[in-house]
Amino acid sequence: MLLLFTTQDINASQRNFSWWFTTIETALDALSSIASRENKLIKAELIDEDHRISLPVDAFDGSFLSPVINELELEWQFLLNEPA
């Protein structure tokens, strides 16, 4: 999957980036890491095959999302294995 994003530095200069990731968790953690520095996220999109998703840049505050996503995945797996 391809992550496209735009940042703005403290001098109001904008830069566009693209970065390939194998999992959504690492892509989201990368955006959180960038947001925790002096750069401001202006725009972010995730492209996976034929799907393009605009991401809410205000959601990235420097906190890593992968632990929460992984915990949610474990809960789903547990519930899917429960007898109906």
Side-chain angles (χ1 to χ4, degrees):
M1 74 188 57
L2 179 64
L3 177 64
L4 303 172
F5 60 98
T6 303
T7 63
Q8 181 175 321
D9 64 19
I10 58 174
N11 299 320
S13 297
Q14 289 189 3
R15 293 181 64 191
N16 297 312
F17 298 92
S18 60
W19 203 347
W20 286 98
F21 287 92
T22 56
T23 67
I24 192 169
E25 294 89 347
T26 54
L28 298 178
D29 282 349
L31 283 177
S32 287
S33 180
I34 291 164
S36 71
R37 299 194 172 118
E38 293 182 6
N39 294 315
K40 178 181 178 185
L41 283 173
I42 302 297
K43 179 178 151 184
E45 290 183 303
L46 196 59
I47 301 171
D48 189 22
E49 296 183 13
D50 295 334
H51 299 43
R52 182 181 215 117
I53 302 167
S54 293
L55 301 173
V57 294
D58 292 338
F60 300 97
D61 60 1
S63 302
F64 289 112
L65 300 171
S66 59
V68 176
I69 293 171
N70 292 335
E71 183 178 328
L72 187 57
E73 181 183 6
L74 289 174
E75 288 180 28
W76 288 338
Q77 290 174 354
F78 175 77
L79 291 173
L80 289 173
N81 289 327
E82 284 290 301

